[in-house]
Amino acid sequence: MRSRSPWLLLLPSLVLMAALFGWPLVQAVLAAFRDEGGFTLAHWQRLLTDPYFLPALRNTVLLIVIVLPVQLALAIGMALLVQARPRFIGGHFYLWCVPLAISELAAGLVWLSVFDNRGYLNSLLVSLGLSENGVQWLSYENTTTMLLTVVIAEIWRATSLVFVIVVAGMQVIPRDYDEAAQVFGASLGQRLRHVTLPLLMPSLQVALILRTILALQAFAVAQALTGRDFPLLVGETYEWYVNLRNPAVSSAVALVVLALSLGTALLYLRTVRQPEGAR
Amino acid sequence: MAELILRDLAKTYPGASTRATDDVSLDVADGEFMVLLGPSGCGKTTLLRMVAGLELPDAGQIVIGGKDVTYLEPRRRNLSMVFQSYAVFPNKKVADNIGFGLRMRGVPADGVRRKVEWAADLLQLRPYLDRYPSRLSGGQRQRVAVARAIVMDADILLMDEPLSNLDALLRLNFRAELKKLVAELGTTTLYVTHDQVEALSLGDRVAVLRDGVLVQCGPPGAVYDEPADEFVGGFLGSPPMNFLTGTVCTDEGRPRVDFGGQSVPVPAALSSYHGKRLRLGIRPEAIQLGDGGGLRGELQVLEPLGASALLTTDVCGQTIKVQAPATFRAEPGRRLALRLPVDQCRWYDPETSLLLEVR
Ligand SMILES: Nc1ncnc2c1ncn2[C@@H]1O[C@H](COP(=O)(O)OP(=O)(O)OP(=O)(O)O)[C@@H](O)[C@H]1O
Ligand SMILES: [Mg+2]
């Protein structure tokens, strides 16, 4: 007979998980598919016809597609620099990690002070004589510059998370592999391609999953910079719930975010990894 | 293929108080098999890494084939290396590991495959070509590292204890295989080991290192026969060379060294040591057991070793190990006559531990 004690030991955390995650999830699903009369797709219809939903979906996906590769490349580059043990390496490390300690909203406000019509950037442009009245970076008519500002703010804010994960991953790779590659004639690019990146896969996988999920939840930065002019999915849940007082549609948006998170996480788990048997 | 010249290589690791290598100079001729031998931590790997370019010397020069490569990138030195830790890429299958260097050089796939198969046959890795290293034993991984190095046709082959993880039998076989292989390849080889048997059996010449200093370099026979100092004599050979301290005196006009009641003759060249202390070094297998003549020692321990028997004897309070025939039998406590052939005796200065010339 199997012992029952493992389950007993798991019980507290199971209860906690069920209460804090399971039940709200069930509620959200119920809320999104039900009204007084029972099962309905009305909330979804409402959502799909809402003029903000598709732009929010598009913006969120765009943000991820642009920000993630840039962050990954930057983080790997920074990690390689740190690996080379430059002088003041401790200083570099802490400096690059500062954004980790800053809240999302604060980061948004910092960049608002830069991109605002009378912000630092425009003051600079004007004083350099490059522009007469500055550029309206955050104007609702200018989706491209809005996207650009949000992208820059997100890269600044969240690259350090990827960086920390990549550095931790690099540090556990024994140096010998890279040295062997050097001796056997590999150039810097070949060493990256054949040795460093493949051995870094587990860390990259973690970084990608975490960053994608967090990017799907990006909200405060865009909110601070653009309000609802540059809608994002999680911003929409907030909008529907708080301002439009419609928890049902809000839940539907949340479910879309959930589906996207699950989908991308599964994708990474299947694609970004070491070949079968290499571990 | 090229000759390798090391000149006064000095290296101190950051933060270390002593030098890892201390002005090491060594000439390895084209096609020569040079063994670096020394105890753990004496700087063998450090020296090899400097030759490979993975570590830069503080001072000194490295010349390969007439070209100064001291500060050249590793990949431009045209050498290959077996790492002490193997460093077999875990993300590549055995075949890709072996062919790695060739691929980096842009050798066509066909050529790479042929070379890989050749090396795999040689090192008995054929069945594993399609496996990842994590599914190999330590010894098999080590063989992959050797295979990866020998396919390269490099100017210089560097090997850092490539046989350390094989079991005794496999090591014996591979030692012979490796010797044959490297002779066929004709590559200039620098081979690191702390196993003196390996050093003696493989090397065209053996260079003995201690605490970063090159103590002696010469053909295995010479290094074994005439250790340049007591350290070398004690490090090479199992059991090591015996050392006895005595005082030089004169008996009937001939110099002798007295160990406290017993004495043996000393070459005339050493009569200047009259009244001073002197160290006698002799190999356990050079001592002959006879009746009468030489020293009298009291048998303390007899260890049968299969092919021979090892005797531990006491001569005037000093220990002498003697290698006797396997059939030798005696009870502890018995007094044995030990004859020390004059031509097998080596003499050392007790202060400097250096070999004294007697010819
Ligand atoms: N990266 C390093 N940083 C600081 N000191 C080091 C480093 N590598 C080696 N040393 C020191 O340098 C000395 C020589 O080390 P080395 O690795 O060359 O020894 P070795 O002869 O190869 O020993 P072994 O037979 O154990 O491999 C040792 O005292 C060691 O502690
Ligand atoms: Mg070593």
Side-chain angles (χ1 to χ4, degrees):
Chain A
M1 195 192 92
R2 282 232 183 120
S3 161
R4 233 175 277 145
S5 54
W7 290 107
L8 273 177
L9 294 173
L10 280 175
L11 199 61
S13 53
L14 283 178
V15 168
L16 211 66
M17 291 286 282
L20 294 182
F21 290 101
W23 179 235
L25 186 67
V26 172
Q27 279 216 310
V29 174
L30 289 180
F33 287 102
R34 234 174 36 169
D35 61 8
E36 302 84 46
F39 178 83
T40 174
L41 286 175
H43 307 310
W44 290 90
Q45 246 159 14
R46 177 121 187 245
L47 177 63
L48 287 175
T49 51
D50 180 66
Y52 281 98
F53 175 68
L54 283 180
L57 183 62
R58 188 201 60 199
N59 289 344
T60 307
V61 172
L62 259 181
L63 196 63
I64 291 174
V65 169
I66 298 173
V67 167
L68 238 70
V70 176
Q71 282 189 328
L72 211 57
L74 272 179
I76 290 173
M78 285 152 67
L80 286 174
L81 285 180
V82 166
Q83 275 304 92
R85 314 221 133 260
R87 298 221 284 163
F88 314 119
I89 171 176
H92 292 281
F93 194 84
Y94 286 116
L95 204 64
W96 283 340
C97 288
V98 163
L100 264 187
I102 294 177
S103 85
E104 218 183 321
L105 189 60
L109 292 175
V110 167
W111 285 98
L112 183 62
S113 69
V114 173
F115 289 118
D116 193 37
N117 283 346
R118 296 172 183 283
Y120 293 118
L121 184 58
N122 278 342
S123 310
L124 186 72
L125 289 179
V126 170
S127 67
L128 287 178
L130 291 175
S131 156
E132 200 144 316
N133 297 315
V135 181
Q136 304 244 316
W137 300 106
L138 300 172
S139 151
Y140 67 96
E141 293 162 337
N142 213 339
T143 320
T144 320
T145 56
M146 273 196 299
L147 175 66
L148 193 72
T149 54
V150 176
V151 161
I152 290 175
E154 271 295 288
I155 288 174
W156 178 83
R157 189 185 66 80
T159 301
S160 43
L161 177 69
V162 187
F163 167 68
V164 170
I165 296 173
V166 171
V167 166
M170 273 192 192
Q171 272 168 354
V172 297
I173 304 177
R175 274 187 122 80
D176 319 24
Y177 297 127
D178 192 46
E179 290 178 346
Q182 287 182 44
V183 168
F184 285 100
S187 63
L188 184 64
Q190 286 171 320
R191 274 152 57 198
L192 263 181
R193 195 163 84 80
H194 288 282
V195 181
T196 311
L197 288 182
L199 294 180
L200 208 53
M201 279 306 177
S203 309
L204 292 184
Q205 193 183 56
V206 171
L208 276 173
I209 292 177
L210 266 181
R211 260 313 290 152
T212 309
I213 291 175
L214 291 179
L216 276 168
Q217 297 171 2
F219 165 46
V221 169
Q223 188 78 26
L225 281 170
T226 66
R228 211 187 178 189
D229 293 342
F230 186 78
L232 292 173
L233 282 178
V234 175
E236 287 307 289
T237 60
Y238 173 79
E239 198 63 32
W240 282 101
Y241 195 89
V242 175
N243 293 339
L244 304 175
R245 293 168 199 272
N246 192 333
V249 179
S250 176
S251 298
V253 183
L255 287 183
V256 172
V257 175
L258 177 68
L260 283 176
S261 301
L262 278 178
T264 45
L266 277 178
L267 186 74
Y268 292 141
L269 286 174
R270 288 179 169 272
T271 53
V272 186
R273 61 168 183 187
Q274 297 193 319
E276 198 68 46
R279 270 275 134 185
Chain B
M1 258 133 273
E3 62 169 350
L4 168 69
I5 300 173
L6 313 182
R7 276 201 206 111
D8 299 323
L9 283 183
K11 169 86 190 172
T12 310
Y13 283 106
S17 54
T18 53
R19 287 182 169 188
T21 67
D22 197 349
D23 292 341
V24 174
S25 296
L26 193 64
D27 285 18
V28 189
D30 188 3
E32 190 179 25
F33 196 123
M34 173 70 83
V35 176
L36 278 176
L37 176 69
S40 185
C42 70
K44 307 181 295 290
T45 298
T46 305
L47 203 61
L48 218 59
R49 287 173 58 84
M50 286 195 285
V51 175
L54 297 171
E55 213 79 63
L56 294 183
D58 301 333
Q61 203 183 19
I62 300 165
V63 180
I64 296 177
K67 188 169 152 213
D68 184 340
V69 300
T70 317
Y71 301 106
L72 205 63
E73 278 179 87
R75 71 193 184 101
R76 307 218 178 273
R77 299 187 180 203
N78 192 24
L79 39 78
S80 66
M81 180 163 175
V82 181
F83 285 73
Q84 187 167 10
S85 53
Y86 326 145
V88 168
F89 305 121
N91 56 314
K92 292 188 179 293
K93 292 183 175 173
V94 169
D96 295 329
N97 259 291
I98 300 178
F100 182 80
L102 297 173
R103 293 263 302 286
M104 292 303 109
R105 277 199 193 159
V107 175
D110 196 41
V112 175
R113 215 198 57 236
R114 251 183 294 119
K115 271 280 191 172
V116 167
E117 285 174 359
W118 166 80
D121 285 339
L122 215 60
L123 292 159
Q124 299 166 22
L125 287 169
R126 221 5 132 112
Y128 313 113
L129 281 180
D130 218 23
R131 285 202 201 173
Y132 283 100
S134 61
R135 311 224 164 139
L136 297 180
S137 74
Q140 288 164 343
R141 255 178 256 179
Q142 203 157 27
R143 268 141 61 196
V144 174
V146 173
R148 183 175 64 178
I150 61 170
V151 294
M152 288 292 286
D153 290 325
D155 283 343
I156 310 278
L157 182 55
L158 304 173
M159 298 204 236
D160 201 346
E161 315 214 6
L163 304 183
S164 60
N165 253 20
L166 307 182
D167 64 53
L169 187 63
L170 207 57
R171 185 190 296 215
L172 204 66
N173 290 336
F174 263 79
R175 209 164 64 202
E177 282 295 321
L178 197 68
K179 188 163 181 166
K180 198 170 95 197
L181 171 69
V182 176
E184 276 168 19
L185 292 173
T187 313
T188 312
T189 304
L190 198 54
Y191 183 104
V192 162
T193 180
H194 60 245
D195 179 345
Q196 39 110 7
V197 180
E198 220 169 278
L200 295 174
S201 72
L202 284 173
D204 291 329
R205 280 195 297 157
V206 178
V208 187
L209 274 176
R210 181 184 51 168
D211 297 340
V213 180
L214 184 63
V215 192
Q216 186 174 12
C217 177
V223 176
Y224 186 81
D225 252 14
E226 295 196 22
D229 69 4
E230 289 185 24
F231 165 77
V232 178
F235 190 69
L236 254 77
S238 165
M241 198 174 221
N242 293 297
F243 291 102
L244 297 169
T245 311
T247 313
V248 181
C249 58
T250 318
D251 184 30
E252 295 169 2
R254 288 164 182 258
R256 295 180 73 84
V257 58
D258 180 77
F259 301 112
Q262 301 194 50
S263 65
V264 291
V266 170
L270 296 178
S271 37
S272 64
Y273 273 78
H274 184 84
K276 292 194 212 149
R277 292 182 327 128
L278 197 62
R279 295 267 280 170
L280 161 67
I282 185 156
R283 293 261 172 220
E285 67 272 20
I287 300 174
Q288 296 167 359
L289 290 165
D291 7 59
L295 300 171
R296 291 177 312 282
E298 186 185 303
L299 180 63
Q300 292 184 315
V301 185
L302 187 153
E303 299 167 76
L305 299 178
S308 63
L310 181 62
L311 317 182
T312 305
T313 64
D314 178 285
V315 175
C316 301
Q318 305 193 60
T319 302
I320 299 189
K321 301 239 181 209
V322 182
Q323 192 172 320
T327 50
F328 184 87
R329 289 287 174 275
E331 288 302 313
R334 212 179 98 185
R335 294 180 79 74
L336 304 170
L338 313 175
R339 219 168 65 71
L340 318 184
V342 175
D343 62 334
Q344 300 285 341
C345 291
R346 306 286 171 257
W347 303 97
Y348 294 89
D349 187 307
E351 313 270 288
T352 61
S353 293
L354 293 178
L355 180 70
L356 298 169
E357 278 299 330
V358 294
R359 264 171 241 144

